[in-house]
Every structure is written in C-alpha cells, then in structure tokens.
Amino acid sequence: MIYPVLLLASVLNFSSCGSSNRATAMPIHPATQPEKQVESAPKEADKIAPAPKPVKRKQDYDSLNRFYPETIKPKYDVAIVLPFFLNYEELTRQQKNSAAIAADYYRGILMAADSLKYWGANLDLHVLDLEADTLNPRAITDNIKKVNPDLILGPLSDQEVRSVSAYTEANHYNLVAPLASIDTSTTEYYYLENNPKNEVYGRFAALYIKKHFAGYKVFIVEEQEAKCNFLVKAFKDSATAYGMKVTEYTGANGAVYRTDFDLTDSNVVFIASKNHVFVSSVMSQLQISDKKIVVLGMDIWKGRAIDANLWDKFDMHILTPYDIDYKDAATRRFVLNFRQKFNDEPNEYAFRGYDDMMYYGLALKNYGKYFENRLPEQKIRLLHSTYNFQRAPASGIWENSCLYMMEFKDFQLTRINP
C-alpha cells in the first residue's frame, strides 16, 4: 500500500541542479511494457538469482545474534523520510534543491516498488515529509513510531540523519542514510551508510597512487587545517605504510589558494576538497607549470562545469562511489520505463532511489527485518554501484566501502581498473 501523499510527491515536477565481487543481475521489471524499445534493450526482464540457499553462518555472526535475530514477517513496512516541503508555498534555493533531490530519489523508489512486487516482496511504503529547515525531531520521531517501520530510507543530510539516528537506534529501526556520511562516537548497530566514509577515499587514493604512480612526487592539498580531517589522515597514514613520502599543502581561508608548488618532473596531486572555488584556484596555479602532473579529485567534481582541455592536460582522475553505464542493457531498460512512467529522464538520484529500494527490499524479503549480518552474502548488481558493506568494529555502523576510479581520457570520464 502506498499512501496518498506518495502519489502527490511522485508527480511533482522538480529538476535537480569496485568491488571485485561477482554480482547477480538486477531485476528490471516494468509495470507496463513500453510501446517502443531501443534496439539494444532486452525484450524480457533481467533474471534475478533465486533466494540464497542457507549457508553456514560465519563465527562472528554468533556474537551478534542478539542484535540481528532472524525475524521473518509476511509484510514489511518501509518509511521514506525525505524533505519534500509539500506544505510550503515558497521555497528558498536550498530548499528547492533538497526537494528536487528528494523527488528524484523517490521516483526511483516507486520504480523499484513495481519490480519488488513482481519478485514477491510484500512491502508497504509510508512517506514522512521532512521539512529540513524547521526540523522538529520530536514530531518526526512520533511519526516514525506510528509507522513502526522495519526499514527507514532517509533523511538526506548529515544534520537530519543525526537528528533521528539516536531514536532509531534506541528502538531498533534499521536506518539507511542514502547520501549522508557521519562520524559518530556512539555504537549504532542498526545504522547503514551507502556513501563511503572519508577514510575510505583516503586509503583508496593512497593505494591507487602506490600501484600506478610509483616514483612520482606525491602532494595532497586541503582547504584548511582541521584537527579531524579523516580523509587526509587516512591518506597520509596509508601512504606512510606504503613507504611513500607525501608533501602536504593547506589553504589559508578555505576558498582561494595561493602557493608555489615544489614540483619535479613527474607529480601526482590529490586535491582533497569538494569546494569548487578552492579546487579551481589550485588548478589555475598548476596549469602554469610545464611539468608532468596527474590530478586526483573527488566525485562532486563530476557535476560541475569543467575545462576539458585542463582536465586532459592533468590526466584527471576522479574517485567516486557510483558510475552509471548507459550502454548497459539493464540501465537502458530502466531509462525506458522511467520515461514512460514520468515523462522525464532519470538522473543520478533516481538511479540511487531505485537501487536502494531494490537492494534493501530484497534484503528484507530474503533475510527478514534484521538483515545486516547477511549483507555480505547479498551480491546484487546495482545500476549505479556495487554495495560492499562491512561493519565498523568500533561503532557497529554498516559502511559501504565501494569506490571506483575514473579517468578523463579522450575527453570523457571512463571507469578504469583500480
């Protein structure tokens, strides 16, 4: 059952600004067959692997059985907690952006709901409209209590997630953060993060440089000095463990950057920032050099206007947790069905919404309410990523550690073997 507010949210016309494991195919089943199909689209829904056979549980599962007891139910309730701002007549620019992301993500969820019905998952979806700027934690938690969900998808921002995570943890509600990534000193066994943490980026970048740029002089540039910059710390610690020397530069005000780089003949520069103004100022300084420079950057750069010639000059490499292959048959099938249902093109957040609902919906169907310990067994090929969940021993949080490396080659970004 999809509640009426869902249908209202679904028609809002917003516009928004590797794992090595072998995975099974993702099911793509349309509610109705498109009238026309592109030539390479499959004529039948992709096959999904049957429900996993019982396997011998890992030894560490036993100690966590009290947190994740096998709880099979005939039906599961899923709460969608997103900032739609449906009761607002006028929105600020930030609110419009949040609402657009929420609408796109939710439309992906609706697409997955059709597929999950086809594959036998019995789910009820409930929407809680999270108004981010006037967030009332008590009101939100009261609404969550009324739903008594087996799974919560959302909220989006770090602040919003923090506002409800303590409550959901205390009441053993599975909380999935689609976009947020928070650092916590408390133990949270029922909290799952889809976005890799900053430490994962740091370790991944260091390993990649070790494997592909041996002998290069290594730099890392950060916006401003921070005592707890986990990305930079993880990068430097990993580089030290690999025997690499790292030269660190830090910006003065977190925006404009000015310094003279002590470059050699071959250099690799990791710009550990998501601030477009800061990144542009660093790149402007680097471009005046005639030395060989390879630049590593963050995934948020993909959504910005780029100087193609500059990216080509620096052999730009981008670390990202997602990559959508539009040549893939399953992806093309999803695009066709999305166009038919919404008369619109799916963006990154629509893909994420679809994948998240499919991934966790199938986890509920296959393993029951407390599925966390079984996630390492669930190998599903998603459309935008490949989730590889691991439990952080200190905090108990389940973290996705999947990252891809993309290279700007022949004037386009292409995923490469890390």
Side-chain angles (χ1 to χ4, degrees):
M1 176 172 63
I2 300 177
Y3 284 67
V5 69
L6 286 173
L7 302 179
L8 177 60
S10 69
V11 298
L12 290 176
N13 186 22
F14 290 118
S15 60
S16 63
C17 331
S19 172
S20 61
N21 296 325
R22 186 174 181 83
T24 57
M26 164 62 70
I28 309 292
H29 179 70
T32 57
Q33 199 74 358
E35 294 181 2
K36 296 181 180 180
Q37 298 182 358
V38 293
E39 183 176 350
S40 60
K43 295 182 180 180
E44 299 180 357
D46 290 349
K47 304 298 183 182
I48 186 172
K53 297 180 180 179
V55 297
K56 184 178 180 180
R57 305 296 295 276
K58 294 182 180 180
Q59 187 173 1
D60 62 336
Y61 285 179
D62 297 338
S63 63
L64 294 174
N65 279 347
R66 62 193 179 99
F67 297 105
Y68 310 118
E70 186 172 16
T71 307
I72 305 298
K73 302 172 64 175
K75 182 186 71 175
Y76 299 94
D77 291 285
V78 180
I80 314 298
V81 182
L82 297 172
F84 290 112
F85 299 100
L86 295 177
N87 295 325
Y88 282 53
E89 293 184 1
E90 294 185 6
L91 301 181
T92 66
R93 181 177 180 180
Q94 183 176 355
Q95 289 170 341
K96 288 180 181 179
N97 184 56
S98 296
I101 293 174
D104 291 327
Y105 184 78
Y106 174 62
R107 291 195 293 181
I109 288 175
L110 288 181
M111 294 289 294
D114 289 342
S115 294
L116 286 167
K117 289 177 185 176
Y118 180 82
W119 294 106
N122 189 5
L123 308 175
D124 272 3
L125 304 185
H126 309 256
V127 158
L128 303 182
D129 186 4
L130 179 68
E131 299 174 352
D133 64 331
T134 57
L135 182 62
N136 183 339
R138 179 60 183 271
I140 292 298
T141 54
D142 284 350
N143 286 328
I144 290 174
K145 183 178 180 180
K146 292 176 184 177
V147 174
N148 191 27
D150 302 294
L151 173 70
I152 301 171
L153 287 178
L156 298 180
S157 74
D158 295 5
Q159 178 184 354
E160 293 163 356
V161 169
R162 287 191 184 96
S163 71
V164 300
S165 62
Y167 174 81
T168 57
E169 180 68 22
N171 291 276
H172 297 183
Y173 295 136
N174 296 318
L175 175 65
V176 174
L179 305 179
S181 180
I182 65 174
D183 297 301
T184 177
S185 58
T186 60
T187 302
E188 300 193 29
Y189 288 94
Y190 307 98
Y191 174 53
L192 302 99
E193 284 189 340
N194 291 351
N195 266 9
K197 284 192 173 297
N198 286 329
E199 297 97 311
V200 178
Y201 282 86
R203 291 192 294 266
F204 186 92
L207 178 60
Y208 185 83
I209 292 172
K210 172 185 176 291
K211 292 173 61 176
H212 297 276
F213 298 109
Y216 282 54
K217 185 172 183 179
V218 180
F219 298 83
I220 186 167
V221 185
E222 55 184 314
E223 286 182 53
Q224 52 195 355
E225 186 176 0
K227 294 181 180 179
C228 297
N229 192 325
F230 296 102
L231 187 156
V232 174
K233 183 178 185 304
F235 178 82
K236 293 194 298 183
D237 289 348
S238 297
T240 299
Y242 298 140
M244 295 190 305
K245 181 180 178 181
V246 176
T247 301
E248 182 179 6
Y249 289 144
T250 305
N253 57 15
V256 179
Y257 184 73
R258 291 288 181 269
T259 192
D260 292 324
F261 283 90
D262 183 19
L263 300 170
T264 60
D265 290 337
S266 298
N267 311 271
V268 55
V269 180
F270 181 23
I271 307 178
S273 170
K274 296 184 179 182
N275 183 330
H276 184 60
V277 176
F278 178 81
V279 170
S280 296
S281 67
V282 177
M283 298 274 282
S284 295
Q285 285 190 263
L286 291 173
Q287 70 175 331
I288 64 177
S289 173
D290 59 355
K291 306 292 186 181
K292 179 176 178 56
I293 303 173
V294 175
V295 174
L296 268 63
M298 307 294 288
D299 54 279
I300 198 170
W301 300 11
K302 292 167 58 180
R304 295 284 187 172
I306 66 171
D307 183 331
N309 290 320
L310 195 59
W311 279 39
D312 184 62
K313 169 183 171 68
F314 290 139
D315 189 18
M316 183 67 69
H317 286 64
I318 298 293
L319 290 77
T320 180
Y322 66 90
D323 174 42
I324 301 169
D325 180 7
Y326 287 93
K327 297 179 182 179
D328 178 72
T331 300
R332 295 169 74 89
R333 181 73 174 204
F334 172 78
V335 172
L336 282 171
N337 293 325
F338 191 94
R339 288 173 181 167
Q340 184 190 39
K341 190 175 183 71
F342 299 110
N343 194 31
D344 198 2
E345 293 294 318
N347 63 9
E348 168 202 336
Y349 300 107
F351 277 96
R352 288 191 179 208
Y354 179 87
D355 280 350
D356 289 351
M357 188 70 255
M358 286 301 307
Y359 185 83
Y360 294 106
L362 288 173
L364 288 170
K365 173 184 178 293
N366 291 334
Y367 306 120
K369 177 175 181 177
Y370 298 111
F371 51 74
E372 283 86 345
N373 255 6
R374 307 296 296 276
L375 289 181
E377 302 169 24
Q378 178 161 282
K379 306 301 182 185
I380 297 175
R381 184 180 63 84
L382 305 177
L383 298 180
H384 85 290
S385 186
T386 302
Y387 287 164
N388 180 20
F389 278 97
Q390 299 174 349
R391 179 178 172 272
S395 65
I397 290 175
W398 288 86
E399 304 169 340
N400 173 31
S401 61
C402 176
L403 277 178
Y404 301 127
M405 181 64 78
M406 304 192 73
E407 182 181 9
F408 192 72
K409 192 173 184 179
D410 297 328
F411 290 89
Q412 62 180 355
L413 277 172
T414 304
R415 192 199 308 179
I416 58 177
N417 188 350

